[in-house]
Amino acid sequence: EWRHCHEVNNQHFVDHNEFYQDFLIAYGARYIMGARVDENGEQYSILGVLRAVGQQPFDKAEQLAAQRFSGHLQRALRLQKHTQTLHAKAELGARAIDALALAMLIVDGAGVILHLNSNAESLLNNRVCGLSCKSGRLSADHPANSHKLATLIIEATGYPAVGGAIFLSNADTRQVFVTPLPAASPFARDWQTPLALVLVVEAGKTLPPLQLLGKLYNLSPAELRVASALLSGNTPEEYAQEAGVSLNTVRSQLKNLYSKTGVRRQSEL
């Protein structure tokens, strides 16, 4: 619903109103046509169209034109918000992949590396890890392991797709798992390129869940300590007393936790 200032505010009001006199007219504008074009539970968007001093108010034809393009504006705003949400999820997913204690790669049926996280990149740069990247393809250094790895990748990207694992001969604490990505499904389409997920598991290389969440949401050590206390059943007041900090400090850290993790209350956290 569009509102037009000249239909609501007469000249006497304009002459004595601070918004018009100190802001709008002072910056060269006189008439406003505005509408709330989109809203959700948390925020709403208002669009204002301004007309300069000395010009005529918006006429009926222009008001009808505004009504016509309102729907396009609403769709554009919703697409923008949806895209922002997808970007946020994608960024969180990328951080999740990098935060994993496991080295993770995605390869096609020929072993060509399409994606890898930072742990996998560090592992491949380590010349004694038992794995390497040759011409963009994942391979094992030992010939026997290289053949086994290639076979596992072919099996994981074939039909029916199956997964498997091998131990690397020169590093018996490191195991390589190869699994279909996505898993074999009756809904798979012929045009989709079969992919395989390769995980390299090293003995003793695990990350506690709380630390993993800290990496995902970029939590500070102090915020992690508050989260840990709350998960253990302590109240903010109890944690403040045990940690020797003020309750206001804990509340501030709790507010940061809510903001970073996208929740509104302690139970959601």
Side-chain angles (χ1 to χ4, degrees):
E1 182 182 354
W2 287 83
R3 301 291 179 89
H4 308 87
C5 72
H6 67 279
E7 295 178 350
V8 180
N9 305 324
N10 59 29
Q11 190 59 46
H12 178 77
F13 178 88
V14 171
D15 291 340
H16 296 84
N17 180 263
E18 292 180 355
F19 174 74
Y20 278 94
Q21 296 301 318
D22 298 342
F23 177 73
L24 202 63
I25 295 175
Y27 285 92
R30 166 60 179 88
Y31 295 105
I32 309 172
M33 175 173 64
R36 182 183 295 191
V37 292
D38 188 51
E39 63 180 307
N40 55 37
E42 299 178 352
Q43 62 185 18
Y44 56 86
S45 304
I46 292 179
L47 176 70
V49 184
L50 307 180
R51 180 151 282 175
V53 173
Q55 294 184 332
Q56 295 298 311
F58 296 95
D59 59 28
K60 291 296 182 184
E62 291 166 329
Q63 294 174 20
L64 289 173
Q67 293 285 0
R68 285 197 299 271
F69 68 68
S70 294
H72 299 291
L73 280 171
Q74 289 170 332
R75 282 190 290 273
L77 284 165
R78 286 166 187 162
L79 280 171
Q80 181 190 35
K81 289 177 183 176
H82 182 61
T83 303
Q84 289 171 342
T85 301
L86 290 176
H87 278 305
K89 288 181 178 179
E91 183 180 352
L92 181 63
R95 288 208 301 270
I97 289 171
D98 276 338
L100 289 173
L102 303 176
M104 190 208 76
L105 308 95
I106 295 173
V107 300
D108 64 12
V112 174
I113 300 173
L114 304 178
H115 183 80
L116 73 168
N117 65 357
S118 56
N119 285 326
E121 190 172 356
S122 299
L123 192 68
L124 292 179
N125 289 331
N126 179 2
R127 297 186 178 276
V128 295
C129 75
L131 294 173
S132 60
C133 176
K134 298 177 181 178
S135 302
R137 286 179 166 83
L138 180 67
S139 64
D141 295 337
H142 192 279
N145 283 340
S146 183
H147 176 73
K148 291 178 183 177
L149 180 60
T151 301
L152 286 176
I153 292 173
I154 290 172
E155 290 176 347
T157 55
Y159 184 83
V162 294
I166 58 170
F167 279 105
L168 299 178
S169 299
N170 61 341
D172 57 3
T173 60
R174 190 174 289 125
Q175 194 173 13
V176 179
F177 289 86
V178 182
T179 185
L181 181 74
S185 166
F187 301 103
R189 299 290 184 265
D190 293 338
W191 50 265
Q192 290 176 323
T193 302
L195 302 175
L197 174 67
V198 180
L199 294 173
V200 184
V201 181
E202 297 182 75
K205 286 289 185 75
T206 57
L207 193 64
L210 200 61
Q211 283 185 260
L212 178 60
L213 290 175
K215 284 180 173 288
L216 293 183
Y217 293 103
N218 195 28
L219 304 181
S220 70
E223 291 161 357
L224 269 178
R225 288 193 292 270
V226 172
S228 179
L230 295 177
L231 289 171
S232 299
N234 293 342
T235 65
E237 291 79 7
E238 290 170 340
Y239 172 73
Q241 186 173 6
E242 291 177 6
V245 297
S246 71
L247 184 57
N248 284 339
T249 298
V250 175
R251 284 173 175 164
S252 176
Q253 292 165 343
L254 195 56
K255 186 177 179 181
N256 290 340
L257 281 169
Y258 292 166
S259 175
K260 290 182 178 180
T261 56
V263 300
R264 299 181 183 179
R265 58 185 66 90
Q266 190 172 323
S267 59
E268 292 177 4
L269 178 67

